[in-house]
Amino acid sequence: CAKKVKLAKDDTNDLATCRVLLAELEGHQDAWPFLSPVNHKAVPGYRKVIKKPMDFSTIREKLANNRYLNLETFIIDVNLVFDNCEKFNEDNSEIGRAGHNMRRFFDKRWTELLR
Ligand SMILES: Cc1nnc(-c2cnn(C)c2N)n1CCCn1ccnc1
């Protein structure tokens, strides 16, 4: 029978792609709620409700310290930012809308860059 060969994905440019995507997220006009960690001391309930906080500055730190195995683990953290936002904020709120806008922008950009 024919030998099954797994097609390896070319991950050579993944790190550069993550840097481009992160810079575009940080530069988006609706990025303001996500630029730094939520101050859980100032936001009642946040620490209890959101088990895995994440924000763009933490992602930048992890990227700089080579903490992402591959593009997939980077995308998981970006989506965690938006999932946390949806969990803690009404859709029809300033921060809730910013989260939806940012997720839509991210989904569009990484599919453009990778397809
Ligand atoms: C992200 C994120 N998700 N929820 C919040 C938040 C912070 N305070 N309150 C009442 C929320 N629902 N955030 C952080 C938003 C950070 N921020 C707020 C104003 N400027 C930045």
Side-chain angles (χ1 to χ4, degrees):
C1 61
K3 199 168 167 312
K4 223 173 165 7
V5 179
K6 188 127 176 54
L7 287 174
K9 282 175 65 162
D10 171 18
D11 63 357
T12 323
N13 311 318
D14 282 2
L15 201 55
T17 305
C18 292
R19 288 201 183 100
V20 166
L21 282 167
L22 183 58
E24 291 186 5
L25 289 170
E26 290 168 327
H28 194 287
Q29 71 163 23
D30 293 337
W32 56 272
F34 316 108
L35 293 174
S36 46
V38 175
N39 176 2
H40 56 73
K41 293 192 188 75
V43 186
Y46 199 82
R47 184 162 39 188
K48 182 89 178 102
V49 171
I50 301 301
K51 303 306 179 197
K52 292 166 73 179
M54 189 48 65
D55 70 284
F56 296 159
S57 72
T58 303
I59 293 173
R60 177 155 296 281
E61 188 78 24
K62 287 178 74 172
L63 203 54
N65 299 333
N66 201 24
R67 291 278 176 278
Y68 291 116
L69 263 177
N70 50 35
L71 192 68
E72 194 199 352
T73 51
F74 167 80
I75 291 172
I76 287 165
D77 262 2
V78 175
N79 283 322
L80 181 56
V81 174
F82 305 142
D83 293 344
N84 289 344
C85 182
E86 270 203 64
K87 187 169 186 184
F88 198 75
N89 298 278
E90 295 291 327
D91 290 340
N92 185 23
S93 68
E94 275 294 295
I95 295 172
R97 254 189 311 281
H100 287 296
N101 290 348
M102 292 303 296
R103 184 199 294 278
R104 196 176 313 113
F105 172 76
F106 180 66
D107 286 348
K108 179 171 165 292
R109 282 303 287 142
W110 83 259
T111 37
E112 278 166 4
L113 285 179
L114 288 155
R115 288 277 179 270

